[in-house]
Each structure stands twice: as C-alpha cells, then as structure tokens.
Amino acid sequence: MPSQSVEEYLEAIYRIGGETGTVNTCELATMLGVAPPSVTTMLARLTRDGLVEHTRYKGLKLTESGREMAASMIRRHRLSERLLTDVLGMPWQRVHEAACKLEHVMTGEIEERTYRALGEPERCPHGQMLNGDENEPLIALSCAKPGSKVRVVKLAEENEEFLIAVEKLGLVPSAEVTVSAISDSEICYSAAGTEHQIPIDLAQYVWVRPVE
C-alpha cells in the first residue's frame, strides 16, 4: 500500500495538472507547503515506482498507474466531504481539511458502501465531479457576458474563507445567476432576487453553465 505522503503528492499533481497536464516542481511545493528539495526527493521515489514521468526542464506528469491512484484518492476525498455534510451535518466550508484525513483511511469496501449509502452522488458539496472530468462545457463566472443567465456548477477553490464569501454572495452550486454588468474589477449580478457584486479575482473560481 502506498504511504500517505505518496498519496498526497499524487493527488496534488492531479489537482494541478488534471489527468494529463504537466506540473512543475515549484507549483507542487507551493500546494503541499514543502521545500523544493523535499519535492525532488519524493519525485525520485515516484519515478522509480512508475507513478510519474519527470522530464528535466519540462516538468512532470502522472503515468497511467499514477493517474488511477490519484483519481481514486480524489474520489475518496470528495465522497468523504459528502459524508461529512450530508450525514454528519458539518458546514460545507469546513469539510475539506477533515476529508483530507478521512480519504487516507477509507478502504475500497468502505468507499463503495459509503457511495451507495449516500445515494450514489455525482458531485461533492462544492460541485466537483466524484468520477472523472466534467460531462458538460463550463465557463468561469468571470467570463460570462452581461445579460446572460447562468447556473453555478462547481467551485474551483475549497478554502474556508473563499467558501464563506461565495455563500454570502449566493454563489452555491445549482444557484441561478443573472449577470447585469462587468467591469475590470468586479461582476454585478442577481441571485435569488438579491443584487450582488463579486471581485473578478474571485469570480474566476466559480464555474457555471449557461441557462437556456
């Protein structure tokens, strides 16, 4: 069985680069909060074990085995978040850190039993898919056009401060939003009959789809 640190590295690579994207060591060190030499040491181990491919000056990417392991950890993390919110009643802005611990102790049997007990959910509380990539084209709210109507699908950031902010702004998954105006610094919109403004730098983490 892989160690928790190996699982964390694979998950971080997947989160940054997706299934096939290339990641540089600085990005990885920043996400994990570790020193670059520590990343270098772990990458040597992951490369040796056939979990990543590391090309000097080009970065690294997951191998097929690495992708499978990382996708499994992502699924367990998001399923843990659903368990914490739907069953234990934890606020959605606080479940990320707890799920980071639960995902490492969730066995395959517990994972599948939890999935069925929760009614086979498609997404985590923040709208991220449990299995695989998105099944529909999405855009960031920061790219929406004035006058358009969109529905919030997922949030690309999970830190507590961000989630508290977007909840106050009515930008939770499934919320319908009507964009009224866009400037260089903010987007004006209405949600549930209330007018709001959100800074552009936050709106880029809110992913939506058009409402016909």
Side-chain angles (χ1 to χ4, degrees):
M1 294 294 293
S3 68
Q4 180 172 326
S5 59
V6 166
E7 292 174 339
E8 289 175 348
Y9 268 80
L10 295 177
E11 185 178 350
I13 295 169
Y14 191 101
R15 286 180 180 275
I16 297 170
E19 291 191 0
T20 58
T22 301
V23 177
N24 66 56
T25 55
C26 290
E27 291 176 311
L28 194 54
T30 298
M31 171 169 274
L32 292 170
V34 299
S38 297
V39 173
T40 301
T41 300
M42 178 58 78
L43 289 181
R45 175 181 174 181
L46 297 177
T47 302
R48 180 201 66 197
D49 293 344
L51 298 173
V52 302
E53 296 175 353
H54 188 200
T55 304
R56 194 174 184 183
Y57 304 123
K58 292 185 178 180
L60 57 109
K61 62 180 181 179
L62 297 168
T63 63
E64 182 176 352
S65 296
R67 284 193 299 274
E68 290 177 357
M69 193 177 296
S72 176
M73 294 310 302
I74 293 287
R75 184 178 191 270
R76 293 180 184 189
H77 178 92
R78 292 171 180 170
L79 193 58
S80 295
E81 290 181 328
R82 280 251 77 103
L83 176 66
L84 291 166
T85 55
D86 297 2
V87 178
L88 301 184
M90 283 186 66
W92 74 319
Q93 66 267 25
R94 289 175 45 206
V95 297
H96 177 68
E97 292 301 323
C100 285
K101 298 178 175 63
L102 281 178
E103 67 187 59
H104 296 292
V105 297
M106 183 179 284
T107 65
E109 180 183 4
I110 293 174
E111 176 186 354
E112 290 309 311
R113 285 180 178 273
T114 302
Y115 178 63
R116 292 195 297 272
L118 291 173
E120 301 184 358
E122 183 180 48
R123 298 176 182 271
C124 79
H126 314 112
Q128 298 282 356
M129 295 283 289
L130 259 66
N131 303 310
D133 293 331
E134 284 296 329
N135 52 17
E136 59 182 332
L138 303 177
I139 62 170
L141 180 58
S142 55
C143 297
K145 304 296 183 182
S148 63
K149 290 185 178 181
V150 297
R151 189 177 303 279
V152 178
V153 176
K154 68 177 183 179
L155 304 170
E157 180 57 71
E158 294 183 321
N159 75 70
E160 185 172 349
E161 183 179 358
F162 171 78
L163 293 175
I164 290 173
V166 294
E167 186 172 28
K168 289 179 179 179
L169 292 171
L171 296 174
V172 298
S174 79
E176 189 171 302
V177 172
T178 300
V179 178
S180 55
I182 300 178
S183 70
D184 291 338
S185 60
E186 67 179 15
I187 294 178
C188 300
Y189 65 94
S190 62
T194 303
E195 298 294 327
H196 296 281
Q197 298 81 40
I198 183 173
I200 289 288
D201 62 345
L202 291 186
Q204 65 180 321
Y205 297 109
V206 180
W207 287 83
V208 302
R209 63 173 174 82
V211 174
E212 300 297 335

